[in-house]
Coordinates of all heavy atoms in Angstrom, one line a residue:
M6 N -4.2 -29.7 0.2 CA -4.1 -28.4 0.9 C -4.8 -27.4 0.1 O -4.6 -27.2 -1.1 CB -2.6 -28.1 1.1 CG -2.4 -26.8 1.7 SD -0.6 -26.3 1.9 CE -0.1 -27.5 3.1
D7 N -5.6 -26.6 0.8 CA -6.2 -25.5 0.1 C -5.3 -24.2 0.0 O -4.3 -24.2 0.8 CB -7.6 -25.1 0.7 CG -7.5 -24.6 2.1 OD1 -6.6 -23.9 2.4 OD2 -8.4 -24.9 2.9
T8 N -5.7 -23.3 -0.8 CA -4.8 -22.1 -1.0 C -4.7 -21.3 0.2 O -3.6 -20.7 0.5 CB -5.4 -21.3 -2.2 OG1 -5.5 -22.1 -3.3 CG2 -4.5 -20.2 -2.5
S9 N -5.7 -21.3 1.1 CA -5.6 -20.4 2.3 C -4.5 -20.8 3.2 O -3.9 -20.0 3.9 CB -7.0 -20.5 3.0 OG -7.2 -21.7 3.5
Q10 N -4.1 -22.1 3.2 CA -3.0 -22.6 4.0 C -1.7 -22.1 3.5 O -0.8 -21.7 4.2 CB -3.0 -24.1 4.1 CG -4.2 -24.7 4.9 CD -4.2 -24.2 6.3 OE1 -3.1 -24.2 7.0 NE2 -5.3 -23.8 6.8
L11 N -1.6 -22.0 2.1 CA -0.4 -21.5 1.5 C -0.2 -20.0 1.7 O 0.9 -19.5 1.9 CB -0.4 -21.8 0.0 CG -0.3 -23.3 -0.4 CD1 -0.6 -23.5 -1.9 CD2 1.0 -23.9 0.0
L12 N -1.3 -19.3 1.7 CA -1.3 -17.9 1.9 C -0.7 -17.4 3.2 O -0.1 -16.4 3.3 CB -2.7 -17.3 1.8 CG -3.2 -17.0 0.4 CD1 -4.7 -16.6 0.4 CD2 -2.4 -15.9 -0.2
K13 N -0.9 -18.2 4.3 CA -0.4 -17.8 5.6 C 1.0 -17.5 5.6 O 1.5 -16.7 6.3 CB -0.8 -18.9 6.6 CG -2.2 -19.0 6.9 CD -2.5 -20.1 8.0 CE -4.0 -20.1 8.3 NZ -4.3 -21.2 9.3
G14 N 1.8 -18.3 4.8 CA 3.2 -18.1 4.8 C 3.7 -17.0 3.9 O 4.9 -16.5 4.0
V15 N 2.9 -16.5 3.0 CA 3.3 -15.5 2.1 C 2.5 -14.2 2.1 O 2.7 -13.3 1.2 CB 3.4 -16.1 0.6 CG1 4.4 -17.2 0.6 CG2 2.0 -16.5 0.2
L16 N 1.6 -14.0 3.0 CA 0.7 -12.9 3.0 C 1.5 -11.6 3.2 O 1.2 -10.6 2.6 CB -0.4 -13.0 4.0 CG -1.6 -12.0 3.8 CD1 -2.1 -12.0 2.4 CD2 -2.7 -12.3 4.8
D17 N 2.5 -11.6 4.1 CA 3.3 -10.4 4.3 C 4.0 -10.0 3.0 O 3.9 -8.8 2.6 CB 4.4 -10.7 5.3 CG 4.0 -10.8 6.7 OD1 2.7 -10.8 7.0 OD2 4.8 -10.8 7.6
L18 N 4.5 -10.9 2.3 CA 5.2 -10.6 1.0 C 4.2 -10.1 0.0 O 4.4 -9.0 -0.7 CB 5.8 -11.9 0.4 CG 6.4 -11.8 -1.0 CD1 7.4 -10.7 -1.1 CD2 6.9 -13.2 -1.4
A19 N 3.0 -10.7 -0.1 CA 2.0 -10.2 -1.0 C 1.5 -8.8 -0.7 O 1.4 -8.0 -1.6 CB 0.8 -11.2 -1.0
V20 N 1.3 -8.5 0.6 CA 0.8 -7.2 1.0 C 1.9 -6.1 0.7 O 1.6 -5.0 0.2 CB 0.4 -7.2 2.5 CG1 0.2 -5.7 3.0 CG2 -0.9 -8.0 2.6
L21 N 3.1 -6.4 1.1 CA 4.2 -5.5 0.8 C 4.4 -5.2 -0.7 O 4.6 -4.1 -1.1 CB 5.5 -6.0 1.4 CG 5.7 -6.0 2.9 CD1 6.9 -6.7 3.4 CD2 5.7 -4.6 3.4
A22 N 4.2 -6.3 -1.5 CA 4.3 -6.1 -3.0 C 3.2 -5.2 -3.5 O 3.5 -4.4 -4.4 CB 4.3 -7.5 -3.6
V23 N 2.0 -5.4 -3.0 CA 0.9 -4.5 -3.4 C 1.2 -3.1 -3.1 O 1.0 -2.1 -3.9 CB -0.4 -5.0 -2.8 CG1 -1.5 -3.9 -2.9 CG2 -0.9 -6.3 -3.4
L24 N 1.6 -2.8 -1.8 CA 1.9 -1.4 -1.4 C 3.2 -0.9 -2.0 O 3.3 0.4 -2.0 CB 2.0 -1.4 0.1 CG 0.6 -1.7 0.8 CD1 0.8 -1.8 2.3 CD2 -0.4 -0.6 0.4
D25 N 4.0 -1.7 -2.5 CA 5.2 -1.2 -3.2 C 4.8 -0.5 -4.6 O 5.5 0.3 -5.1 CB 6.2 -2.3 -3.5 CG 7.5 -1.8 -4.0 OD1 8.0 -0.8 -3.4 OD2 8.1 -2.4 -4.9
R26 N 3.7 -1.0 -5.1 CA 3.2 -0.4 -6.4 C 2.4 0.9 -6.2 O 2.5 1.8 -7.0 CB 2.2 -1.4 -7.1 CG 3.0 -2.7 -7.5 CD 2.1 -3.6 -8.2 NE 2.9 -4.8 -8.6 CZ 2.5 -6.0 -8.5 NH1 1.2 -6.3 -8.1 NH2 3.3 -7.0 -8.9
A27 N 1.7 0.9 -5.0 CA 0.9 2.2 -4.7 C 0.4 2.1 -3.3 O 0.1 1.0 -2.8 CB -0.3 2.3 -5.7
D28 N 0.3 3.3 -2.7 CA -0.3 3.3 -1.3 C -1.8 2.8 -1.4 O -2.4 2.9 -2.5 CB -0.4 4.8 -0.8 CG 1.0 5.4 -0.7 OD1 2.0 4.7 -0.9 OD2 1.0 6.6 -0.3
G29 N -2.3 2.3 -0.3 CA -3.7 1.8 -0.4 C -4.3 1.7 1.0 O -3.6 1.6 2.0
Y30 N -5.6 1.7 1.0 CA -6.3 1.5 2.3 C -6.7 0.0 2.3 O -6.5 -0.7 1.3 CB -7.6 2.4 2.4 CG -8.6 2.3 1.3 CD1 -9.6 1.4 1.3 CD2 -8.5 3.2 0.2 CE1 -10.5 1.3 0.3 CE2 -9.4 3.1 -0.8 CZ -10.4 2.2 -0.8 OH -11.3 2.1 -1.8
G31 N -7.1 -0.4 3.5 CA -7.3 -1.9 3.7 C -8.1 -2.6 2.6 O -7.6 -3.6 2.1
Y32 N -9.3 -2.2 2.3 CA -10.1 -2.9 1.4 C -9.5 -2.8 0.0 O -9.6 -3.7 -0.8 CB -11.5 -2.5 1.4 CG -12.4 -3.5 0.6 CD1 -12.5 -4.8 1.0 CD2 -13.0 -3.1 -0.6 CE1 -13.3 -5.7 0.3 CE2 -13.7 -4.0 -1.3 CZ -13.9 -5.3 -0.9 OH -14.6 -6.2 -1.6
E33 N -8.8 -1.7 -0.3 CA -8.2 -1.6 -1.6 C -7.1 -2.6 -1.8 O -6.9 -3.2 -2.8 CB -7.6 -0.2 -1.7 CG -7.2 0.3 -3.1 CD -6.8 1.7 -3.1 OE1 -6.0 2.2 -2.2 OE2 -7.3 2.4 -4.0
V34 N -6.3 -2.9 -0.7 CA -5.3 -4.0 -0.7 C -6.0 -5.3 -0.9 O -5.5 -6.1 -1.7 CB -4.4 -3.9 0.6 CG1 -3.5 -5.1 0.7 CG2 -3.7 -2.6 0.7
V35 N -7.1 -5.6 -0.2 CA -7.8 -6.8 -0.4 C -8.2 -7.0 -1.8 O -7.9 -8.1 -2.4 CB -9.1 -6.9 0.5 CG1 -9.9 -8.1 0.2 CG2 -8.7 -6.9 2.0
R36 N -8.8 -6.0 -2.4 CA -9.2 -6.1 -3.8 C -8.0 -6.3 -4.8 O -8.1 -7.1 -5.7 CB -9.9 -4.8 -4.3 CG -11.3 -4.8 -3.7 CD -12.1 -3.7 -4.4 NE -11.3 -2.4 -4.4 CZ -11.8 -1.2 -4.4 NH1 -13.1 -1.0 -4.3 NH2 -11.0 -0.2 -4.4
A37 N -6.9 -5.7 -4.5 CA -5.7 -5.9 -5.3 C -5.2 -7.3 -5.3 O -4.8 -7.9 -6.3 CB -4.6 -4.9 -4.9
L38 N -5.2 -7.9 -4.1 CA -4.8 -9.3 -3.9 C -5.7 -10.2 -4.6 O -5.3 -11.1 -5.3 CB -4.7 -9.6 -2.4 CG -3.6 -8.9 -1.6 CD1 -3.7 -9.1 -0.1 CD2 -2.2 -9.3 -2.1
R39 N -7.0 -10.0 -4.5 CA -8.0 -10.8 -5.1 C -7.9 -10.7 -6.6 O -8.0 -11.7 -7.4 CB -9.4 -10.5 -4.6 CG -9.6 -11.0 -3.2 CD -11.0 -10.7 -2.7 NE -11.1 -11.2 -1.3 CZ -12.0 -10.7 -0.4 NH1 -12.8 -9.8 -0.8 NH2 -12.0 -11.2 0.8
G40 N -7.7 -9.5 -7.1 CA -7.6 -9.2 -8.5 C -6.3 -9.9 -9.1 O -6.3 -10.2 -10.3
A41 N -5.3 -10.1 -8.3 CA -4.1 -10.7 -8.7 C -4.2 -12.2 -8.8 O -3.3 -12.9 -9.2 CB -2.9 -10.3 -7.9
G42 N -5.3 -12.7 -8.3 CA -5.6 -14.2 -8.3 C -5.6 -14.9 -6.9 O -5.8 -16.1 -6.9
L43 N -5.5 -14.1 -5.9 CA -5.5 -14.7 -4.5 C -7.0 -14.5 -4.0 O -7.3 -13.8 -3.1 CB -4.6 -14.0 -3.6 CG -3.1 -14.1 -4.0 CD1 -2.2 -13.3 -3.0 CD2 -2.6 -15.5 -4.1
A44 N -7.9 -15.2 -4.7 CA -9.3 -15.1 -4.4 C -9.7 -15.5 -3.0 O -10.7 -15.0 -2.5 CB -10.1 -15.9 -5.4
E45 N -8.9 -16.4 -2.4 CA -9.3 -16.9 -1.0 C -8.8 -16.0 0.1 O -9.0 -16.3 1.3 CB -8.8 -18.3 -0.9 CG -9.4 -19.3 -1.8 CD -9.0 -20.7 -1.6 OE1 -8.6 -21.0 -0.5 OE2 -9.0 -21.5 -2.5
V46 N -8.1 -14.9 -0.2 CA -7.6 -14.1 0.9 C -8.7 -13.4 1.6 O -9.7 -12.9 1.0 CB -6.6 -13.0 0.3 CG1 -7.3 -11.9 -0.5 CG2 -5.8 -12.4 1.4
G47 N -8.7 -13.5 3.0 CA -9.7 -12.9 3.8 C -9.5 -11.5 4.2 O -8.3 -11.1 4.4
D48 N -10.6 -10.8 4.3 CA -10.5 -9.4 4.8 C -9.7 -9.3 6.1 O -8.8 -8.5 6.3 CB -11.8 -8.7 5.0 CG -12.6 -8.6 3.7 OD1 -12.2 -9.3 2.7 OD2 -13.7 -8.0 3.7
A49 N -10.1 -10.1 7.1 CA -9.5 -10.0 8.4 C -8.0 -10.3 8.4 O -7.2 -9.7 9.1 CB -10.2 -11.0 9.4
S50 N -7.6 -11.3 7.5 CA -6.2 -11.6 7.4 C -5.4 -10.4 6.9 O -4.3 -10.1 7.4 CB -6.0 -12.8 6.5 OG -6.6 -13.9 7.0
V51 N -5.9 -9.7 5.9 CA -5.2 -8.6 5.3 C -5.2 -7.4 6.3 O -4.1 -6.8 6.5 CB -5.9 -8.2 4.0 CG1 -5.2 -6.9 3.5 CG2 -5.8 -9.3 3.0
Y52 N -6.3 -7.1 7.0 CA -6.3 -6.0 7.9 C -5.3 -6.3 9.1 O -4.5 -5.5 9.5 CB -7.7 -5.8 8.5 CG -8.5 -5.1 7.5 CD1 -9.5 -5.7 6.8 CD2 -8.4 -3.7 7.3 CE1 -10.3 -5.1 5.9 CE2 -9.2 -3.0 6.3 CZ -10.2 -3.7 5.7 OH -11.0 -3.1 4.7
G53 N -5.3 -7.6 9.5 CA -4.3 -8.0 10.6 C -2.9 -7.9 10.1 O -2.0 -7.4 10.9
T54 N -2.6 -8.3 8.9 CA -1.3 -8.2 8.3 C -0.9 -6.7 8.2 O 0.3 -6.4 8.5 CB -1.2 -8.9 6.9 OG1 -1.6 -10.2 7.1 CG2 0.1 -8.7 6.3
L55 N -1.8 -5.8 7.8 CA -1.4 -4.4 7.7 C -1.1 -3.9 9.1 O -0.1 -3.1 9.2 CB -2.6 -3.6 7.1 CG -2.8 -3.8 5.6 CD1 -4.2 -3.3 5.2 CD2 -1.7 -3.1 4.8
R56 N -1.9 -4.2 10.1 CA -1.6 -3.7 11.4 C -0.2 -4.2 11.9 O 0.6 -3.5 12.5 CB -2.7 -4.1 12.4 CG -4.0 -3.3 12.2 CD -4.9 -3.5 13.4 NE -5.4 -4.9 13.4 CZ -6.4 -5.4 12.7 NH1 -7.1 -4.6 12.0 NH2 -6.7 -6.6 12.9
R57 N 0.0 -5.5 11.7 CA 1.3 -6.1 12.1 C 2.5 -5.5 11.4 O 3.5 -5.2 12.0 CB 1.3 -7.6 11.9 CG 2.4 -8.4 12.6 CD 2.1 -9.9 12.6 NE 1.5 -10.4 11.4 CZ 2.0 -10.5 10.2 NH1 3.3 -10.1 10.1 NH2 1.4 -11.0 9.2
L58 N 2.4 -5.3 10.1 CA 3.5 -4.7 9.3 C 3.7 -3.3 9.8 O 4.9 -2.8 9.9 CB 3.2 -4.8 7.8 CG 3.2 -6.2 7.2 CD1 2.7 -6.2 5.8 CD2 4.6 -6.8 7.3
Y59 N 2.6 -2.5 10.0 CA 2.7 -1.2 10.5 C 3.4 -1.2 11.9 O 4.3 -0.4 12.2 CB 1.4 -0.5 10.6 CG 1.4 0.9 11.2 CD1 1.8 1.9 10.4 CD2 1.0 1.1 12.5 CE1 1.8 3.2 10.9 CE2 1.1 2.4 13.0 CZ 1.5 3.4 12.2 OH 1.5 4.7 12.8
G60 N 3.0 -2.1 12.8 CA 3.6 -2.2 14.1 C 5.1 -2.5 14.1 O 5.8 -2.2 15.0
A61 N 5.5 -3.3 13.1 CA 6.9 -3.7 12.9 C 7.7 -2.5 12.3 O 8.9 -2.7 12.1 CB 7.0 -4.9 12.1
G62 N 7.1 -1.4 11.9 CA 7.8 -0.3 11.4 C 8.1 -0.4 9.9 O 9.0 0.3 9.4
L63 N 7.4 -1.3 9.2 CA 7.6 -1.5 7.8 C 6.7 -0.7 6.9 O 6.9 -0.7 5.7 CB 7.5 -3.0 7.4 CG 8.4 -3.9 8.2 CD1 8.1 -5.4 7.9 CD2 9.8 -3.6 8.0
L64 N 5.7 -0.1 7.5 CA 4.7 0.7 6.8 C 4.5 2.1 7.5 O 4.6 2.1 8.7 CB 3.3 0.0 6.7 CG 3.3 -1.3 6.0 CD1 1.8 -1.9 6.1 CD2 3.7 -1.3 4.6
T65 N 4.1 3.1 6.8 CA 3.6 4.3 7.4 C 2.1 4.4 7.1 O 1.6 3.6 6.2 CB 4.3 5.5 6.8 OG1 4.1 5.6 5.4 CG2 5.8 5.5 7.1
S66 N 1.4 5.3 7.7 CA 0.0 5.4 7.4 C -0.4 6.9 7.5 O 0.3 7.7 8.1 CB -0.9 4.6 8.4 OG -0.8 5.2 9.7
Y67 N -1.5 7.2 6.8 CA -2.0 8.6 6.8 C -3.5 8.4 6.5 O -4.0 7.5 5.9 CB -1.4 9.5 5.8 CG -1.4 9.0 4.4 CD1 -2.3 9.4 3.5 CD2 -0.4 8.2 3.9 CE1 -2.3 9.0 2.2 CE2 -0.3 7.7 2.6 CZ -1.3 8.1 1.8 OH -1.3 7.7 0.5
V68 N -4.3 9.4 7.0 CA -5.7 9.4 6.9 C -6.2 10.4 5.8 O -5.7 11.5 5.8 CB -6.4 9.7 8.2 CG1 -7.9 9.9 8.0 CG2 -6.1 8.7 9.3
V69 N -7.1 9.9 4.9 CA -7.6 10.8 3.9 C -9.1 11.0 4.2 O -9.9 10.1 4.3 CB -7.5 10.1 2.5 CG1 -8.2 10.9 1.4 CG2 -6.0 9.9 2.2
P70 N -9.4 12.3 4.5 CA -10.8 12.6 4.8 C -11.8 12.3 3.7 O -11.4 12.4 2.5 CB -10.8 14.1 5.2 CG -9.4 14.4 5.4 CD -8.6 13.5 4.6
S71 N -13.0 12.0 4.0 CA -14.0 11.7 2.9 C -15.3 12.4 3.4 O -15.7 12.3 4.5 CB -14.2 10.2 2.7 OG -15.3 10.0 1.9
E72 N -15.9 13.1 2.4 CA -17.2 13.7 2.7 C -18.4 12.7 2.5 O -19.5 12.9 3.0 CB -17.4 14.9 1.9 CG -16.4 16.0 2.2 CD -16.6 17.3 1.3 OE1 -17.7 17.3 0.6 OE2 -15.8 18.1 1.3
E73 N -18.1 11.6 1.8 CA -19.2 10.7 1.5 C -19.2 9.4 2.4 O -20.1 8.6 2.2 CB -19.0 10.2 0.0 CG -19.1 11.4 -0.9 CD -18.8 11.0 -2.4 OE1 -18.5 9.8 -2.6 OE2 -18.8 11.9 -3.2
G74 N -18.3 9.3 3.3 CA -18.2 8.1 4.1 C -17.1 8.3 5.1 O -16.6 9.4 5.4
P75 N -16.8 7.2 5.8 CA -15.7 7.3 6.8 C -14.4 7.6 6.2 O -14.1 7.3 5.0 CB -15.7 5.9 7.4 CG -16.3 5.0 6.4 CD -17.2 5.8 5.6
H76 N -13.5 8.3 7.0 CA -12.2 8.6 6.5 C -11.4 7.3 6.3 O -11.7 6.3 6.9 CB -11.4 9.4 7.6 CG -12.1 10.7 7.9 ND1 -12.9 11.4 7.0 CD2 -12.0 11.5 9.0 CE1 -13.3 12.5 7.6 NE2 -12.8 12.6 8.8
R77 N -10.5 7.3 5.3 CA -9.8 6.1 5.0 C -8.4 6.2 5.5 O -7.7 7.2 5.3 CB -9.8 5.9 3.5 CG -11.2 5.4 3.0 CD -11.1 5.1 1.6 NE -12.4 4.5 1.2 CZ -13.0 4.6 0.0 NH1 -12.4 5.2 -0.9 NH2 -14.1 4.0 -0.2
K78 N -7.9 5.1 6.1 CA -6.5 5.0 6.5 C -5.7 4.4 5.4 O -5.9 3.2 5.2 CB -6.4 4.3 7.8 CG -5.0 4.2 8.4 CD -5.0 3.5 9.8 CE -3.7 3.6 10.4 NZ -3.7 2.9 11.8
Y79 N -4.8 5.1 4.8 CA -4.0 4.6 3.8 C -2.6 4.1 4.4 O -2.1 4.7 5.3 CB -3.6 5.7 2.7 CG -4.7 5.8 1.7 CD1 -5.9 6.5 2.0 CD2 -4.6 5.3 0.4 CE1 -6.9 6.6 1.1 CE2 -5.6 5.5 -0.5 CZ -6.7 6.1 -0.2 OH -7.7 6.3 -1.1
Y80 N -2.1 3.1 3.8 CA -0.8 2.5 4.2 C 0.2 2.7 3.0 O -0.2 2.6 1.9 CB -0.9 1.1 4.5 CG -1.7 0.8 5.8 CD1 -3.0 0.5 5.7 CD2 -1.1 0.8 7.0 CE1 -3.8 0.3 6.9 CE2 -1.8 0.6 8.2 CZ -3.1 0.3 8.1 OH -3.8 0.1 9.3
A81 N 1.4 3.0 3.4 CA 2.5 3.2 2.4 C 3.7 2.4 2.9 O 4.0 2.4 4.1 CB 2.8 4.7 2.2
I82 N 4.4 1.8 2.0 CA 5.6 1.1 2.3 C 6.7 2.1 2.5 O 6.8 3.1 1.8 CB 6.0 0.0 1.2 CG1 7.1 -0.9 1.7 CG2 6.3 0.7 -0.1 CD1 7.3 -2.1 0.8
N83 N 7.6 1.9 3.5 CA 8.7 2.8 3.7 C 10.0 2.1 3.4 O 10.0 0.9 2.9 CB 8.7 3.3 5.2 CG 8.7 2.2 6.2 OD1 9.1 1.1 5.9 ND2 8.3 2.5 7.4
E84 N 11.1 2.7 3.7 CA 12.4 2.1 3.3 C 12.7 0.7 4.0 O 13.0 -0.3 3.4 CB 13.6 3.0 3.5 CG 14.9 2.5 3.0 CD 14.8 2.0 1.5 OE1 14.1 2.6 0.7 OE2 15.6 1.1 1.1
P85 N 12.4 0.6 5.3 CA 12.6 -0.7 6.0 C 11.6 -1.7 5.4 O 12.0 -2.9 5.2 CB 12.2 -0.4 7.5 CG 12.6 1.0 7.7 CD 12.2 1.7 6.3
G86 N 10.5 -1.3 5.0 CA 9.5 -2.2 4.3 C 10.1 -2.7 3.0 O 9.9 -3.8 2.6
R87 N 10.7 -1.8 2.2 CA 11.3 -2.2 0.9 C 12.4 -3.1 1.1 O 12.6 -4.1 0.3 CB 11.7 -0.9 0.2 CG 10.5 -0.1 -0.4 CD 11.0 1.0 -1.4 NE 9.8 1.6 -1.8 CZ 9.2 2.7 -1.2 NH1 9.8 3.2 -0.1 NH2 8.1 3.2 -1.7
V88 N 13.2 -2.9 2.1 CA 14.3 -3.9 2.4 C 13.7 -5.2 2.7 O 14.2 -6.2 2.2 CB 15.2 -3.3 3.6 CG1 16.2 -4.4 4.1 CG2 15.9 -2.1 3.2
R89 N 12.7 -5.3 3.6 CA 12.0 -6.5 3.9 C 11.4 -7.2 2.7 O 11.5 -8.4 2.5 CB 11.0 -6.3 5.0 CG 10.1 -7.6 5.3 CD 10.9 -8.6 6.1 NE 11.4 -8.1 7.4 CZ 10.6 -8.1 8.5 NH1 9.4 -8.6 8.5 NH2 11.1 -7.6 9.6
L90 N 10.8 -6.4 1.8 CA 10.2 -6.9 0.6 C 11.3 -7.6 -0.3 O 11.1 -8.7 -0.8 CB 9.5 -5.8 -0.2 CG 9.0 -6.1 -1.6 CD1 7.9 -7.2 -1.5 CD2 8.4 -4.9 -2.3
R91 N 12.5 -6.9 -0.4 CA 13.5 -7.5 -1.3 C 14.0 -8.8 -0.6 O 14.2 -9.8 -1.4 CB 14.7 -6.5 -1.4 CG 14.4 -5.4 -2.4 CD 15.6 -4.6 -2.7 NE 16.2 -3.9 -1.6 CZ 15.9 -2.6 -1.2 NH1 15.0 -2.0 -1.8 NH2 16.5 -2.1 -0.1
E92 N 14.2 -8.8 0.7 CA 14.8 -10.0 1.3 C 13.8 -11.2 1.2 O 14.1 -12.3 0.9 CB 15.0 -9.7 2.8 CG 16.1 -8.8 3.1 CD 16.2 -8.3 4.6 OE1 15.2 -8.6 5.3 OE2 17.2 -7.7 4.9
T93 N 12.5 -10.9 1.4 CA 11.5 -11.9 1.4 C 11.3 -12.4 0.0 O 11.0 -13.6 -0.3 CB 10.1 -11.4 2.0 OG1 10.4 -10.8 3.3 CG2 9.1 -12.5 2.1
T94 N 11.4 -11.5 -1.0 CA 11.2 -11.9 -2.4 C 12.4 -12.8 -2.8 O 12.1 -13.9 -3.5 CB 11.3 -10.6 -3.3 OG1 10.2 -9.8 -3.0 CG2 11.2 -11.0 -4.8
D95 N 13.6 -12.6 -2.4 CA 14.7 -13.5 -2.6 C 14.4 -14.9 -2.0 O 14.7 -15.9 -2.7 CB 16.0 -12.9 -2.1 CG 16.5 -11.7 -2.9 OD1 15.9 -11.4 -4.0 OD2 17.3 -10.9 -2.3
R96 N 14.0 -14.9 -0.8 CA 13.7 -16.2 -0.1 C 12.6 -16.9 -0.9 O 12.6 -18.1 -1.0 CB 13.4 -16.0 1.3 CG 14.6 -15.7 2.2 CD 14.3 -15.9 3.7 NE 13.3 -15.1 4.2 CZ 13.5 -13.9 4.7 NH1 14.7 -13.4 4.8 NH2 12.5 -13.1 5.2
W97 N 11.5 -16.2 -1.2 CA 10.4 -16.8 -1.9 C 10.9 -17.4 -3.3 O 10.5 -18.5 -3.6 CB 9.3 -15.8 -2.2 CG 8.3 -16.3 -3.2 CD1 8.1 -15.9 -4.4 CD2 7.4 -17.3 -2.9 NE1 7.1 -16.7 -5.0 CE2 6.6 -17.5 -4.1 CE3 7.1 -18.1 -1.8 CZ2 5.6 -18.5 -4.2 CZ3 6.1 -19.1 -1.9 CH2 5.4 -19.3 -3.1
R98 N 11.7 -16.7 -4.0 CA 12.1 -17.2 -5.3 C 13.0 -18.5 -5.1 O 12.9 -19.4 -5.9 CB 12.9 -16.1 -6.1 CG 12.0 -15.0 -6.6 CD 12.7 -14.0 -7.4 NE 11.8 -13.1 -8.0 CZ 12.0 -11.8 -8.1 NH1 13.1 -11.3 -7.7 NH2 11.1 -11.0 -8.7
A99 N 13.9 -18.5 -4.1 CA 14.7 -19.7 -3.9 C 13.8 -20.8 -3.5 O 14.0 -22.0 -3.9 CB 15.7 -19.4 -2.8
F100 N 12.8 -20.6 -2.6 CA 11.9 -21.6 -2.2 C 11.0 -22.1 -3.4 O 10.9 -23.3 -3.6 CB 10.9 -21.1 -1.1 CG 9.9 -22.1 -0.6 CD1 10.2 -23.1 0.2 CD2 8.6 -22.0 -1.1 CE1 9.3 -24.0 0.7 CE2 7.6 -22.9 -0.7 CZ 8.0 -23.9 0.2
A101 N 10.5 -21.2 -4.2 CA 9.7 -21.6 -5.4 C 10.6 -22.4 -6.3 O 10.1 -23.4 -6.9 CB 9.1 -20.4 -6.1
T102 N 11.8 -22.1 -6.5 CA 12.7 -22.8 -7.4 C 12.9 -24.3 -6.9 O 12.9 -25.2 -7.6 CB 14.1 -22.1 -7.6 OG1 13.8 -20.8 -8.2 CG2 15.0 -22.9 -8.4
T103 N 13.1 -24.3 -5.6 CA 13.3 -25.7 -4.9 C 12.0 -26.5 -5.1 O 12.1 -27.7 -5.5 CB 13.6 -25.5 -3.4 OG1 14.8 -24.8 -3.3 CG2 13.7 -26.9 -2.7
M104 N 10.9 -25.9 -4.9 CA 9.6 -26.7 -5.0 C 9.4 -27.1 -6.4 O 8.9 -28.2 -6.7 CB 8.4 -25.8 -4.5 CG 8.4 -25.7 -3.0 SD 8.4 -27.3 -2.1 CE 6.9 -28.0 -2.6
E105 N 9.7 -26.2 -7.4 CA 9.5 -26.5 -8.8 C 10.4 -27.7 -9.2 O 10.0 -28.6 -9.9 CB 9.8 -25.3 -9.7 CG 9.6 -25.5 -11.1 CD 8.2 -25.9 -11.5 OE1 7.2 -25.4 -10.8 OE2 8.0 -26.6 -12.5
G106 N 11.6 -27.8 -8.6 CA 12.5 -28.9 -8.8 C 11.9 -30.2 -8.3 O 12.2 -31.3 -8.8
L107 N 11.2 -30.1 -7.2 CA 10.6 -31.3 -6.5 C 9.4 -31.8 -7.2 O 9.2 -33.0 -7.4 CB 10.3 -31.0 -5.1 CG 11.5 -30.9 -4.1 CD1 11.0 -30.4 -2.8 CD2 12.2 -32.2 -4.0
V108 N 8.5 -30.9 -7.6 CA 7.2 -31.3 -8.2 C 7.1 -31.1 -9.7 O 6.2 -31.6 -10.3 CB 6.0 -30.6 -7.5 CG1 6.0 -30.9 -6.0 CG2 6.1 -29.1 -7.7
G109 N 8.0 -30.3 -10.3 CA 8.0 -30.0 -11.7 C 8.4 -31.3 -12.5 O 9.0 -32.2 -12.0
T110 N 8.0 -31.2 -13.8 CA 8.4 -32.3 -14.6 C 9.2 -31.8 -15.8 O 9.3 -30.7 -16.1 CB 7.2 -33.0 -15.2 OG1 6.3 -32.1 -15.9 CG2 6.4 -33.7 -14.1

């Protein structure tokens, strides 16, 4: 199984974790994920995840004007997003512990 298949189940958690550290625009989130070691994450997947999380009411957004290029739409995690992040983090840790018990030595 390649890493991209594993990412599908945890991309929401990864994006929320990045935005919990700092607000960011789409490509900035992509770079943060890749910089953290998720090299196979796709731009379209991250942008779709941002739109979905925003639509679910877990993120807010605002536009920052730019004189050198297009305006950037920044995303910020809100309180419902932080609640979801905590819940998902707990589930992820339990799952990772279970998997480590199965495949670890």
